[in-house]
Amino acid sequence: QVQLVESGGGSVQSGGSLRLSCAASGYTYSHYYMAWFRQAPGKEREGVAVIDNSGYTIYSDSAKGRFTISRDNARSTLTLQMNSLKPEDTAMYYCAAGRVLGLFRDWYDYWGQGTQVTVSS
């Protein structure tokens, strides 16, 4: 049974940092691209960052320069280091596994339940 379990969300003030983690199990982790998505109330789910098996990364414009995605294939874990957080980063953050490299939600097969990030001004 595939499981993706996110952790590390919380409330932080503008300019602060958070580190999200995702623990994967039930499939061959290294065979999948891993990504972070987010969804704010009333908005579409959007891609934040994706990483391939070699460490190649793609970031959304809003994440570039502030967020860093990384993965540990030996431990089947994914992280997202978020710095210089802004109120507009407030959303539910999801980790996802897929077979196509990119930030389109339809390309992803497996999803976690999400972890809430709230940034106050």
Side-chain angles (χ1 to χ4, degrees):
Q1 180 183 358
V2 174
Q3 280 195 314
L4 296 174
V5 180
E6 301 96 336
S7 60
S11 297
V12 65
Q13 289 192 326
S14 182
S17 298
L18 281 174
R19 184 178 180 87
L20 306 183
S21 296
C22 173
S25 61
Y27 69 101
T28 306
Y29 182 77
S30 60
H31 288 185
Y32 283 75
Y33 301 114
M34 294 299 299
W36 288 98
F37 284 76
R38 68 185 183 186
Q39 187 167 17
K43 294 190 176 181
E44 295 282 328
R45 190 170 297 188
E46 63 174 0
V48 175
V50 59
I51 187 168
D52 77 359
N53 202 30
S54 69
Y56 176 76
T57 57
I58 299 172
Y59 292 93
S60 66
D61 287 344
S62 61
K64 281 178 188 174
R66 299 188 300 127
F67 296 0
T68 302
I69 187 172
S70 60
R71 66 188 290 168
D72 185 333
N73 288 338
R75 298 183 179 187
S76 298
T77 57
L78 180 72
T79 61
L80 184 69
Q81 177 66 44
M82 304 188 294
N83 299 327
S84 303
L85 283 161
K86 306 174 182 180
E88 50 264 44
D89 293 318
T90 295
M92 186 72 79
Y93 283 71
Y94 299 89
C95 114
R99 295 280 199 149
V100 181
L101 184 64
L103 292 175
F104 294 102
R105 61 176 294 182
D106 290 349
W107 291 352
Y108 286 81
D109 303 313
Y110 305 128
W111 293 85
Q113 294 300 306
T115 185
Q116 178 67 38
V117 171
T118 303
V119 184
S120 57
S121 57

